[in-house]
Amino acid sequence: METTVEAIGPAPAGAVWERYMDPTRWSSWAPQIDGVEYSEQRLTSDTTGRVRGPMWTHVDFEIVAVDEAEWTWTWNAWFQFRALSLVLTHGVASRTDGCRTWVTIRGSRALIVPYAPVAKLALMRLVRS
């Protein structure tokens, strides 16, 4: 299954892109994230890390691609010791009134359906000024 979730807000596109690129900032706009274990200061292709969630949950991930010129990036996220996974492609586009951001989520319907509303909330927080 594949679905795209988006949000439009007043934050400048460049600022939103930087919020994506710095994993230490993810928990400031994504309420499902308590912290991120990642060795780089900025997202870089072919690197791995771990997102810490509520109640000791964690998601391992690999950054697959980062396109600074197009403001897009893709990562694989694995749950339950890689038994379940999602592929997420994020993007940012400038608008005269702020920006638009989106995530295209590919994977099992059983993961996408409950995750899509959470992703929507996070994106709405991401694009706030």
Side-chain angles (χ1 to χ4, degrees), residues 51-71:
V51 171
R52 293 185 315 274
M55 297 186 296
W56 305 283
T57 60
H58 67 273
V59 174
D60 294 321
F61 67 85
E62 176 187 16
I63 305 300
V64 176
V66 177
D67 187 332
E68 294 270 0
E70 294 294 321
W71 284 346

mmCIF file of all heavy atoms in Angstrom, residues 51-71:
data_model
loop_
_atom_site.group_PDB
_atom_site.id
_atom_site.type_symbol
_atom_site.label_atom_id
_atom_site.label_comp_id
_atom_site.label_asym_id
_atom_site.label_seq_id
_atom_site.Cartn_x
_atom_site.Cartn_y
_atom_site.Cartn_z
ATOM 1 N N VAL A 51 15.092 5.556 16.283
ATOM 2 C CA VAL A 51 14.139 6.491 16.862
ATOM 3 C C VAL A 51 13.574 5.849 18.124
ATOM 4 O O VAL A 51 13.160 4.690 18.089
ATOM 5 C CB VAL A 51 12.990 6.799 15.869
ATOM 6 C CG1 VAL A 51 11.890 7.596 16.542
ATOM 7 C CG2 VAL A 51 13.510 7.532 14.654
ATOM 8 N N ARG A 52 13.599 6.597 19.218
ATOM 9 C CA ARG A 52 12.987 6.138 20.464
ATOM 10 C C ARG A 52 11.588 6.716 20.562
ATOM 11 O O ARG A 52 11.385 7.918 20.368
ATOM 12 C CB ARG A 52 13.819 6.565 21.663
ATOM 13 C CG ARG A 52 15.182 5.890 21.728
ATOM 14 C CD ARG A 52 15.937 6.236 23.005
ATOM 15 N NE ARG A 52 15.905 7.645 23.366
ATOM 16 C CZ ARG A 52 16.752 8.573 22.918
ATOM 17 N NH1 ARG A 52 17.696 8.240 22.077
ATOM 18 N NH2 ARG A 52 16.660 9.821 23.320
ATOM 19 N N GLY A 53 10.622 5.834 20.867
ATOM 20 C CA GLY A 53 9.235 6.260 20.999
ATOM 21 C C GLY A 53 8.743 6.067 22.417
ATOM 22 O O GLY A 53 9.522 5.762 23.322
ATOM 23 N N PRO A 54 7.462 6.221 22.613
ATOM 24 C CA PRO A 54 6.890 6.076 23.950
ATOM 25 C C PRO A 54 6.962 4.632 24.448
ATOM 26 O O PRO A 54 7.003 3.692 23.656
ATOM 27 C CB PRO A 54 5.444 6.529 23.770
ATOM 28 C CG PRO A 54 5.166 6.355 22.324
ATOM 29 C CD PRO A 54 6.474 6.543 21.611
ATOM 30 N N MET A 55 6.993 4.481 25.745
ATOM 31 C CA MET A 55 6.971 3.175 26.414
ATOM 32 C C MET A 55 8.063 2.245 25.899
ATOM 33 O O MET A 55 7.822 1.091 25.584
ATOM 34 C CB MET A 55 5.591 2.527 26.296
ATOM 35 C CG MET A 55 4.509 3.339 26.979
ATOM 36 S SD MET A 55 2.907 2.538 27.020
ATOM 37 C CE MET A 55 2.495 2.416 25.320
ATOM 38 N N TRP A 56 9.274 2.766 25.782
ATOM 39 C CA TRP A 56 10.456 1.970 25.426
ATOM 40 C C TRP A 56 10.393 1.357 24.032
ATOM 41 O O TRP A 56 11.104 0.409 23.740
ATOM 42 C CB TRP A 56 10.730 0.888 26.473
ATOM 43 C CG TRP A 56 10.849 1.464 27.839
ATOM 44 C CD1 TRP A 56 11.931 2.124 28.341
ATOM 45 C CD2 TRP A 56 9.858 1.470 28.844
ATOM 46 N NE1 TRP A 56 11.661 2.546 29.621
ATOM 47 C CE2 TRP A 56 10.384 2.146 29.965
ATOM 48 C CE3 TRP A 56 8.557 0.972 28.939
ATOM 49 C CZ2 TRP A 56 9.684 2.344 31.132
ATOM 50 C CZ3 TRP A 56 7.853 1.166 30.105
ATOM 51 C CH2 TRP A 56 8.413 1.833 31.183
ATOM 52 N N THR A 57 9.544 1.879 23.171
ATOM 53 C CA THR A 57 9.529 1.374 21.801
ATOM 54 C C THR A 57 10.680 2.008 21.026
ATOM 55 O O THR A 57 11.171 3.075 21.382
ATOM 56 C CB THR A 57 8.199 1.700 21.090
ATOM 57 O OG1 THR A 57 8.025 3.124 21.060
ATOM 58 C CG2 THR A 57 7.022 1.042 21.766
ATOM 59 N N HIS A 58 11.103 1.346 19.988
ATOM 60 C CA HIS A 58 12.125 1.913 19.125
ATOM 61 C C HIS A 58 11.928 1.422 17.694
ATOM 62 O O HIS A 58 11.338 0.379 17.463
ATOM 63 C CB HIS A 58 13.537 1.583 19.625
ATOM 64 C CG HIS A 58 13.869 0.132 19.542
ATOM 65 N ND1 HIS A 58 13.565 -0.750 20.536
ATOM 66 C CD2 HIS A 58 14.465 -0.592 18.563
ATOM 67 C CE1 HIS A 58 13.970 -1.958 20.190
ATOM 68 N NE2 HIS A 58 14.511 -1.891 18.995
ATOM 69 N N VAL A 59 12.429 2.235 16.786
ATOM 70 C CA VAL A 59 12.362 1.936 15.357
ATOM 71 C C VAL A 59 13.760 2.149 14.796
ATOM 72 O O VAL A 59 14.328 3.240 14.920
ATOM 73 C CB VAL A 59 11.352 2.869 14.652
ATOM 74 C CG1 VAL A 59 11.383 2.668 13.151
ATOM 75 C CG2 VAL A 59 9.953 2.674 15.209
ATOM 76 N N ASP A 60 14.332 1.120 14.215
ATOM 77 C CA ASP A 60 15.622 1.247 13.541
ATOM 78 C C ASP A 60 15.388 1.825 12.148
ATOM 79 O O ASP A 60 14.353 1.567 11.530
ATOM 80 C CB ASP A 60 16.303 -0.115 13.432
ATOM 81 C CG ASP A 60 16.691 -0.662 14.798
ATOM 82 O OD1 ASP A 60 17.130 0.127 15.651
ATOM 83 O OD2 ASP A 60 16.557 -1.877 15.004
ATOM 84 N N PHE A 61 16.347 2.608 11.667
ATOM 85 C CA PHE A 61 16.164 3.199 10.341
ATOM 86 C C PHE A 61 17.470 3.297 9.582
ATOM 87 O O PHE A 61 18.554 3.257 10.148
ATOM 88 C CB PHE A 61 15.503 4.574 10.437
ATOM 89 C CG PHE A 61 16.330 5.644 11.094
ATOM 90 C CD1 PHE A 61 17.263 6.377 10.375
ATOM 91 C CD2 PHE A 61 16.157 5.949 12.435
ATOM 92 C CE1 PHE A 61 18.010 7.378 10.967
ATOM 93 C CE2 PHE A 61 16.898 6.949 13.046
ATOM 94 C CZ PHE A 61 17.829 7.668 12.316
ATOM 95 N N GLU A 62 17.312 3.435 8.259
ATOM 96 C CA GLU A 62 18.421 3.703 7.354
ATOM 97 C C GLU A 62 18.025 4.854 6.447
ATOM 98 O O GLU A 62 16.934 4.834 5.854
ATOM 99 C CB GLU A 62 18.740 2.489 6.490
ATOM 100 C CG GLU A 62 19.815 2.760 5.472
ATOM 101 C CD GLU A 62 20.027 1.621 4.492
ATOM 102 O OE1 GLU A 62 19.157 0.739 4.394
ATOM 103 O OE2 GLU A 62 21.070 1.629 3.826
ATOM 104 N N ILE A 63 18.880 5.859 6.345
ATOM 105 C CA ILE A 63 18.645 6.956 5.418
ATOM 106 C C ILE A 63 19.105 6.468 4.044
ATOM 107 O O ILE A 63 20.269 6.136 3.841
ATOM 108 C CB ILE A 63 19.425 8.227 5.828
ATOM 109 C CG1 ILE A 63 19.094 8.637 7.274
ATOM 110 C CG2 ILE A 63 19.154 9.355 4.838
ATOM 111 C CD1 ILE A 63 17.648 8.957 7.530
ATOM 112 N N VAL A 64 18.169 6.391 3.109
ATOM 113 C CA VAL A 64 18.444 5.842 1.779
ATOM 114 C C VAL A 64 18.949 6.924 0.823
ATOM 115 O O VAL A 64 19.889 6.700 0.068
ATOM 116 C CB VAL A 64 17.170 5.177 1.206
ATOM 117 C CG1 VAL A 64 17.395 4.687 -0.204
ATOM 118 C CG2 VAL A 64 16.707 4.055 2.119
ATOM 119 N N ALA A 65 18.314 8.095 0.862
ATOM 120 C CA ALA A 65 18.681 9.164 -0.069
ATOM 121 C C ALA A 65 18.341 10.520 0.536
ATOM 122 O O ALA A 65 17.336 10.657 1.232
ATOM 123 C CB ALA A 65 17.942 8.995 -1.393
ATOM 124 N N VAL A 66 19.188 11.496 0.256
ATOM 125 C CA VAL A 66 18.944 12.886 0.642
ATOM 126 C C VAL A 66 19.262 13.735 -0.578
ATOM 127 O O VAL A 66 20.364 13.664 -1.113
ATOM 128 C CB VAL A 66 19.836 13.329 1.830
ATOM 129 C CG1 VAL A 66 19.610 14.799 2.140
ATOM 130 C CG2 VAL A 66 19.574 12.470 3.063
ATOM 131 N N ASP A 67 18.289 14.523 -1.031
ATOM 132 C CA ASP A 67 18.492 15.414 -2.172
ATOM 133 C C ASP A 67 18.314 16.843 -1.687
ATOM 134 O O ASP A 67 17.189 17.342 -1.576
ATOM 135 C CB ASP A 67 17.502 15.075 -3.286
ATOM 136 C CG ASP A 67 17.769 15.849 -4.564
ATOM 137 O OD1 ASP A 67 18.319 16.981 -4.493
ATOM 138 O OD2 ASP A 67 17.427 15.339 -5.634
ATOM 139 N N GLU A 68 19.427 17.488 -1.375
ATOM 140 C CA GLU A 68 19.390 18.854 -0.838
ATOM 141 C C GLU A 68 18.793 19.845 -1.844
ATOM 142 O O GLU A 68 18.111 20.778 -1.460
ATOM 143 C CB GLU A 68 20.798 19.302 -0.441
ATOM 144 C CG GLU A 68 21.392 18.529 0.714
ATOM 145 C CD GLU A 68 21.095 19.117 2.089
ATOM 146 O OE1 GLU A 68 20.403 20.153 2.188
ATOM 147 O OE2 GLU A 68 21.566 18.521 3.065
ATOM 148 N N ALA A 69 19.046 19.655 -3.127
ATOM 149 C CA ALA A 69 18.552 20.577 -4.147
ATOM 150 C C ALA A 69 17.037 20.498 -4.298
ATOM 151 O O ALA A 69 16.364 21.512 -4.489
ATOM 152 C CB ALA A 69 19.238 20.300 -5.486
ATOM 153 N N GLU A 70 16.498 19.282 -4.212
ATOM 154 C CA GLU A 70 15.056 19.079 -4.381
ATOM 155 C C GLU A 70 14.291 19.094 -3.061
ATOM 156 O O GLU A 70 13.072 19.007 -3.051
ATOM 157 C CB GLU A 70 14.794 17.758 -5.099
ATOM 158 C CG GLU A 70 15.289 17.732 -6.523
ATOM 159 C CD GLU A 70 14.534 18.702 -7.421
ATOM 160 O OE1 GLU A 70 13.303 18.832 -7.278
ATOM 161 O OE2 GLU A 70 15.195 19.334 -8.262
ATOM 162 N N TRP A 71 15.017 19.146 -1.937
ATOM 163 C CA TRP A 71 14.420 19.104 -0.603
ATOM 164 C C TRP A 71 13.566 17.853 -0.414
ATOM 165 O O TRP A 71 12.413 17.901 -0.003
ATOM 166 C CB TRP A 71 13.610 20.354 -0.295
ATOM 167 C CG TRP A 71 14.422 21.568 0.044
ATOM 168 C CD1 TRP A 71 15.737 21.605 0.367
ATOM 169 C CD2 TRP A 71 13.965 22.911 0.109
ATOM 170 N NE1 TRP A 71 16.131 22.890 0.631
ATOM 171 C CE2 TRP A 71 15.058 23.722 0.473
ATOM 172 C CE3 TRP A 71 12.730 23.523 -0.125
ATOM 173 C CZ2 TRP A 71 14.965 25.093 0.622
ATOM 174 C CZ3 TRP A 71 12.636 24.890 0.034
ATOM 175 C CH2 TRP A 71 13.736 25.665 0.403
#
